[in-house]
Amino acid sequence: IAPRPDHLRGLLPGVALGDDGKIAPDLSAAMKLTQLTHLIAVSGGHISLAATIVLVSVGRRFPVVCALVTLAALGGLIILVGPEASVIRAVAMSCVVLGALALGRGTQAVASLSIALLAVALLNPWMAVSYGFLLSASATAGIVLVGTPLAEYLARVLPQLVAEAVAIPLAAQLACLPVLALFTNVGSIWGVLANALVAPVVAPLTICGLAVALLCPIIPAAAHLLLVPVQMCTWWIAAVARTLAGWPGSGISLAWSGAFCLALGTILIVVR
């Protein structure tokens, strides 16, 4: 991908594999300002997509086989992207859910998250104090406890996709504020808007990016063909990040950006 645009060279390995070493400095700074850096770190989104694809492909007729095949696929994904803190959190939560699936039991998001966090903290206490793990756990808790109910509440008067595009990033951003305050004091009021705008391209970019990484050594022609939609997705993410980073309201203090998000959430609940 050397002759390709800078946004493709940087964001493709970043979004697909969590390798952010090739991202242009100005794009990296813009993504930090607009709270889009989670896109260039392998996170629970990758695990959820991989698990969903396997579950749909295998089916749930034989729960034990389905759970084992999905675990094997997640193990392969860990080998591909590395055991990052956010990946370990997501895989641990997936193991709880898949265990319940194999036993024919129902799952509950809060219980699954709590068991996964406790298990990881007991097995590796140092993991529990890493920024990546804390951000992943906080974002997931915010989505489960606030984002999903808020999306259902807003869906009464808004289209479902619009309600989720607003509620999910808003809840995740508010939940991550205490952790973000440990290592930065700069924020933006456009973080929720940026995440809502790029949400439609994240899943296609992740799936196609992983496919490019897997196909490039064995079927280069197919990998290059997939670079066409990948380039469109990376262009959109870069355009959103750079545009909103230049708007007034980006680069303000984290406290003010947090207050703005809290006020926005309050307005959505009260006025709807």
Side-chain angles (χ1 to χ4, degrees), residues 257-271:
S257 67
F260 175 83
C261 290
L262 188 60
L264 175 61
T266 304
I267 292 173
L268 288 174
I269 293 172
V270 174
V271 179

Side-chain angles (χ1 to χ4, degrees), residues 54-83:
V54 175
L55 287 172
V56 171
S57 302
V58 177
R60 300 190 181 187
R61 185 175 180 182
F62 303 102
V64 176
V65 175
C66 179
L68 292 176
V69 172
T70 306
L71 283 176
L74 295 183
L77 182 60
I78 293 177
I79 295 174
L80 181 64
V81 303

Side-chain angles (χ1 to χ4, degrees), residues 112-124 133:
S112 300
L113 176 62
S114 302
I115 294 172
L117 296 182
L118 181 60
V120 172
L122 289 175
L123 293 174
N124 186 356
F133 185 82

Side-chain angles (χ1 to χ4, degrees), residues 128-187:
V129 296
S130 68
Y131 286 142
F133 185 82
L134 292 173
L135 286 172
S136 178
S138 299
T140 306
I143 292 170
V144 169
L145 296 173
V146 178
T148 302
L150 180 59
E152 294 175 354
Y153 178 76
L154 295 178
R156 300 174 185 175
V157 291
L158 294 174
Q160 183 69 34
L161 292 178
V162 175
E164 291 178 356
V166 173
I168 299 302
L170 177 61
Q173 189 168 335
L174 284 172
C176 288
L177 282 175
V179 182
L180 290 173
L182 297 175
F183 56 89
T184 184
N185 60 355
V186 179

Side-chain angles (χ1 to χ4, degrees), residues 74-97:
L74 295 183
L77 182 60
I78 293 177
I79 295 174
L80 181 64
V81 303
E84 298 292 335
S86 56
V87 176
I88 298 300
R89 193 281 310 163
V91 170
M93 189 172 176
S94 298
C95 289
V96 177
V97 175

Side-chain angles (χ1 to χ4, degrees), residues 35 46 72 93 103 111 119 122 126 151 178 196 221 260:
Q35 282 86 51
H46 292 71
M93 189 172 176
L103 295 173
L122 289 175
W126 291 109
F260 175 83

